[in-house]
Amino acid sequence: MRTRPAGAWQRLLDDQHGIITTKQMHENGVNKDSIDHCVETGQWLRVFRGVLSVTNGPLTREMHLSAALLFAGRGALLSHTTAAEEWGWRRVSSGPVHLTVPYGCSAISRPPTMRHAKQNFTSESNEQIHPGVIVHRSRAMSHIGVETNPARTSAADTVLDLAVAEPSSRQAVITLVSAMSSGGVNVAAMTRKVEVRRPMRYLKAILHTLALMRDGVHSALEHRYVLDVEQAHGLPAGKRQAPVFVDGRQLFEDIRYEICDLIVRLDGQAFHSAKQRRFRDRRRDNAAELRNLPRLMYGWHEVAEDPCGVYREVREVLVREGWNDASYPCERCSS
């Protein structure tokens, strides 16, 4: 048997990154004995049952993805964290490949595939052939995929899958906002997706978060502020992206409490260059100072790590400026 195929064989191997199924081999005239010989002598690697690599070296990430899709069968899609990696929102990991398959598909999750030391001695770093597969199932396969190579779930479906997979509703909405921001999925598109694919978990929390985003919450930092500072402590809801005119230009304050004109700025908008941000903040500072408006500024660290400290400072200024205090400590305040 030729171990270096040509023509259609080579194109197939190129398309599948050197991964092939035993069924494809049988269809092209390669018998079981020849396949077993190449595997047992270490020329090829058995990645999964019925899925082979026609090399004995470490598999690339592209080979991992191809092997997982061939293992799962026709119609399988990269999904969840693996789809997010392919979309470029998350760093490529060395972990298992996440797939979504239709109900009725026989594919099941698989642990990592390891080399058999008694057949082929190798270093520990080369001991793992494949990191494994995590299989999810969907009844909406015809609506969630996009024509990419390799096939994966759409951007909006990937966001929804990541959110619903979280262990709590709080973490789900944090992931939702962060993934929407990273993936450029707007509120309208996400709302349509939720209407079509109503999630069985966290629906109320997801709809509430989308409503907040329609009202002006633009980033993960702003969302954490609303969730962990305002709502967790009973502070009044500030106006999001409140317009302010400076030098004839319309700029926007992240949060403005109109009951006493307190301005809260959240310094986490990475899409501005440092020069743009400094200019914008200077002009807004000057405008606020001229109008004698109090202002506070927080970054990701303060809001995410010490929301109760942020609450106490905001509350102090609101009360000082005349707000009738109706706030309360959250569960974290006493811990």
Side-chain angles (χ1 to χ4, degrees), residues 40 53 60 62 72 74 99 103 136 161 185 258 276 296 327:
E40 290 168 4
S53 167
T60 64
E62 289 80 8
R74 186 176 180 179
L99 299 174
Y103 274 89
H136 310 267
D161 286 339
V185 179
E258 295 181 317
Q276 288 176 320
L296 297 169
S327 66

Side-chain angles (χ1 to χ4, degrees), residues 263-274:
I263 292 168
V264 173
R265 294 178 186 155
L266 301 173
D267 186 15
Q269 300 186 38
F271 51 82
H272 292 292
S273 71

Side-chain angles (χ1 to χ4, degrees), residues 183-194:
V185 179
N186 62 43
V187 177
M190 200 69 238
T191 301
R192 288 194 298 270
K193 180 56 61 176
V194 171

Side-chain angles (χ1 to χ4, degrees), residues 13-303:
L13 289 176
D14 289 343
D15 290 342
Q16 297 176 176
H17 302 284
I19 306 295
I20 198 163
T21 67
T22 54
K23 181 180 179 181
Q24 288 172 329
M25 288 189 166
H26 293 156
E27 289 172 348
N28 284 273
V30 183
N31 61 44
K32 181 178 182 300
D33 290 341
S34 297
I35 295 172
D36 291 342
H37 171 75
C38 288
V39 172
E40 290 168 4
T41 58
Q43 298 177 60
W44 294 351
L45 292 174
R46 194 179 302 279
V47 186
F48 300 114
R49 181 181 178 87
V51 180
L52 304 172
S53 167
V54 293
T55 179
N56 59 5
L59 273 61
T60 64
R61 186 62 173 172
E62 289 80 8
M63 296 170 78
H64 288 160
L65 301 183
S66 182
L69 288 167
L70 288 171
F71 161 75
R74 186 176 180 179
L77 300 169
L78 301 178
S79 64
H80 296 75
T81 54
T82 306
E85 292 169 8
E86 289 295 290
W87 282 115
W89 313 340
R90 295 194 177 187
R91 292 182 180 179
V92 176
S93 73
S94 59
V97 177
H98 286 257
L99 299 174
T100 293
V101 300
Y103 274 89
C105 175
S106 61
I108 59 174
S109 299
R110 297 291 301 172
T113 304
M114 311 301 291
R115 293 176 187 264
H116 295 289
K118 66 180 181 180
Q119 293 179 348
N120 299 291
F121 294 100
T122 186
S123 64
E124 288 187 5
S125 61
N126 194 32
E127 189 176 20
Q128 180 177 276
I129 295 175
H130 194 282
V133 177
I134 296 178
V135 174
H136 310 267
R137 285 179 161 75
S138 173
R139 291 187 173 89
M141 296 298 294
S142 60
H143 304 291
I144 66 176
V146 290
E147 294 183 2
T148 55
N149 186 17
R152 60 179 180 256
T153 51
S154 73
D157 286 288
T158 302
V159 170
L160 189 57
D161 286 339
L162 292 175
V164 174
E166 294 292 357
S168 68
S169 61
R170 180 178 181 277
Q171 188 57 48
V173 296
I174 290 172
T175 295
L176 179 79
V177 176
S178 178
M180 287 176 64
S181 177
S182 299
V185 179
N186 62 43
V187 177
M190 200 69 238
T191 301
R192 288 194 298 270
K193 180 56 61 176
V194 171
E195 290 172 353
V196 173
R197 282 187 66 200
R198 294 182 74 82
M200 298 186 68
R201 303 175 72 196
Y202 314 138
L203 175 60
K204 183 177 179 180
I206 288 172
L207 291 175
H208 175 66
T209 299
L210 291 175
L212 287 176
M213 297 178 76
R214 280 192 294 273
D215 289 341
V217 173
H218 285 177
S219 69
L221 177 57
E222 292 178 41
H223 180 251
R224 291 292 291 270
Y225 180 90
V226 172
L227 202 69
D228 296 341
V229 177
E230 281 188 355
Q231 294 184 355
H233 297 94
L235 289 176
K239 184 177 181 180
R240 317 295 164 193
Q241 303 302 314
V244 57
F245 290 89
V246 182
D247 299 335
R249 295 177 57 193
Q250 186 179 47
L251 302 177
F252 296 90
E253 297 289 5
D254 297 319
I255 302 167
R256 180 175 176 180
Y257 293 97
E258 295 181 317
I259 54 176
C260 62
D261 279 333
L262 167 64
I263 292 168
V264 173
R265 294 178 186 155
L266 301 173
D267 186 15
Q269 300 186 38
F271 51 82
H272 292 292
S273 71
K275 184 177 181 180
Q276 288 176 320
R277 187 169 60 247
R278 286 196 300 269
F279 173 78
R280 178 201 64 190
D281 290 345
R282 282 200 309 270
R283 300 309 301 147
R284 291 191 310 179
D285 275 343
N286 291 346
E289 184 64 31
L290 290 170
R291 289 180 291 157
N292 196 31
L293 300 180
R295 54 199 178 276
L296 297 169
M297 179 176 285
Y298 301 103
W300 179 265
H301 177 77
E302 296 101 313
V303 174

